[in-house]
Amino acid sequence: MPFDPSKYSDEVQKVSKDTPLEEIIYLLKRDGGVFVKNLISEEDVDQAYREARPRLDADVAWNGSFFPAQTQRAPSLIARSPTYTKAQVMNPLFRQVCEHFLTSRRWYWWGEEKKLSLSKPYVHSCTAMRIGPGGKAQPLHRDDYISHRYHAEIGQWDDARDMERESAVGLFVAGCRITKENGGTQFIPRSHLWGTDRPTPPTLDQCIFAEMEKGDGFIMLASAYHGGGFNTTTDEQRLLFATFIVRGYLRQEENQFLAVPADIARRYDREIQEYMGYSMSEPACGYVEQVDPIYHLCPELKEDGRPRDF
């Protein structure tokens, strides 16, 4: 039986990780973001932090205004933290959400044959961020500007019309208790419905703040306006893990083939390798020597080694 949407108030919702996928997808289409309580275990969060901390501690100040000087980053997290990779990047609920919003299906003619091309999503970027006391807020922005997305203004989501609207989906996981005061992410509910050509910029008074306990997740469509918050405390650091997944035919924000050395990539199982980008996006994106790139990473998987039709 279909669920009753009226069970949810108009506020951005905080739901259980056992909430049916259908309801989480509904809330994302409605609000652009949804909180998922206890998505990642505290043990996995703490271990991921231990694995990422050397890079966080070694970070240098950003040359520009996007990240305040009090923020340290640890990019290339797949190379640094197997725990993060397995628990967060490959989180089953998050992956199902990404598959729903980011899988592309297209019919095309191949001579007289009609073929279906299926492009699956893959990793976009993987970063841990730690905002120290005094860190100023980021400018409000949409993460899909990276992929040059243009949006028409819409009143509400329509499945037939909007199936290609999103280019990416993000997951923010709290590495500690996150509050408005220590830099909780600023987020504008339902701004994923806004048009690119709005004449006025997004403003802070339109935002809510992503307050979470350690292990909570916030899933967000990349078209929604948001930004890291202002850490007004004197003694708290806000730790957040950020994972973005993008459509398979778009370029990655973080080049996983260089960010993750091949010898480290080979330590992961094939499912993770393919999600990183060692796979073809149908019909013909990403090949090496005209065959699937997984055979470049793992030559032992080759069959007869010959290229084949796309």
Side-chain angles (χ1 to χ4, degrees):
M1 261 183 89
F3 80 98
D4 180 5
S6 66
K7 68 186 279 188
Y8 291 113
S9 71
D10 288 340
E11 297 179 346
V12 176
Q13 296 295 294
K14 295 190 174 185
V15 302
S16 160
K17 65 180 179 181
D18 299 320
T19 300
L21 178 65
E22 171 193 14
E23 299 184 23
I24 289 175
I25 288 172
Y26 162 78
L27 292 168
L28 283 164
K29 290 175 180 177
R30 190 192 73 171
D31 297 330
V34 62
F35 295 94
V36 183
K37 299 291 292 179
N38 303 310
L39 182 64
I40 308 297
S41 73
E42 290 195 19
E43 293 77 13
D44 281 341
V45 170
D46 289 341
Q47 181 60 25
Y49 180 45
R50 284 191 286 269
E51 293 165 356
R53 186 169 183 175
R55 177 61 178 83
L56 285 165
D57 291 344
D59 197 33
V60 296
W62 186 264
N63 183 12
S65 60
F66 189 66
F67 286 107
Q70 295 85 353
T71 294
Q72 291 83 44
R73 296 155 304 280
S76 308
L77 273 187
I78 291 177
R80 306 181 190 284
S81 176
T83 306
Y84 157 83
T85 302
K86 294 169 185 175
Q88 297 188 38
V89 177
M90 304 304 287
N91 179 266
L93 175 59
F94 179 49
R95 289 197 66 187
Q96 288 179 80
V97 168
C98 291
E99 286 166 9
H100 177 88
F101 283 100
L102 304 176
T103 299
S104 296
R105 296 171 176 84
R106 288 289 185 271
W107 289 100
Y108 62 98
W109 287 107
W110 180 273
E112 296 182 356
E113 182 183 358
K114 194 176 183 183
K115 289 189 173 184
L116 173 65
S117 176
L118 182 69
S119 179
K120 298 179 180 179
Y122 72 139
V123 171
H124 201 19
S125 63
C126 303
T127 310
M129 292 171 281
R130 192 173 61 190
I131 300 178
K136 293 183 179 179
Q138 287 182 318
L140 295 170
H141 62 282
R142 283 171 149 165
D143 276 328
D144 66 1
Y145 81 95
I146 292 165
S147 297
H148 290 248
R149 301 298 275 194
Y150 175 87
H151 296 291
E153 184 98 9
I154 59 175
Q156 62 182 19
W157 187 279
D158 179 270
D159 283 339
R161 180 194 61 207
D162 300 320
M163 61 182 294
E164 291 283 326
R165 186 175 176 90
E166 294 301 321
S167 63
V169 176
L171 169 64
F172 298 148
V173 171
C176 64
R177 183 170 182 267
I178 293 178
T179 64
K180 176 181 177 180
E181 289 73 25
N182 69 14
T185 299
Q186 304 166 134
F187 172 77
I188 302 182
R190 307 191 182 185
S191 57
H192 67 302
L193 307 175
W194 293 2
T196 300
D197 293 335
R198 281 198 167 205
T200 56
T203 57
L204 185 59
D205 63 312
Q206 297 169 299
C207 292
I208 66 166
F209 292 85
E211 297 192 308
M212 299 187 282
E213 299 297 327
K214 183 192 291 187
D216 289 353
F218 181 61
I219 302 176
M220 182 193 74
L221 301 181
S223 61
Y225 278 101
H226 69 288
F230 192 167
N231 188 338
T232 60
T233 71
T234 59
D235 59 354
E236 294 183 31
Q237 292 184 320
R238 187 219 71 174
L239 175 66
L240 187 77
F241 295 89
T243 307
F244 279 83
I245 306 299
V246 70
R247 287 190 185 272
Y249 59 79
L250 293 174
R251 188 171 182 175
Q252 293 171 318
E253 178 181 4
E254 180 181 59
N255 187 320
Q256 299 301 317
F257 311 106
L258 297 178
V260 185
D263 61 329
I264 294 179
R266 292 189 187 100
R267 298 174 195 169
Y268 287 113
D269 61 37
R270 183 167 177 173
E271 185 178 23
I272 294 175
Q273 292 166 348
E274 290 181 345
Y275 209 42
M276 288 170 55
Y278 289 98
S279 59
M280 293 276 284
S281 176
E282 294 181 6
C285 285
Y287 62 67
V288 177
E289 291 293 310
Q290 298 185 318
V291 297
D292 193 303
I294 193 67
Y295 303 130
H296 177 75
L297 182 69
C298 303
E300 70 277 6
L301 296 176
K302 278 188 179 180
E303 296 166 1
D304 65 10
R306 293 182 298 168
R308 59 188 179 188
D309 287 345
F310 301 130

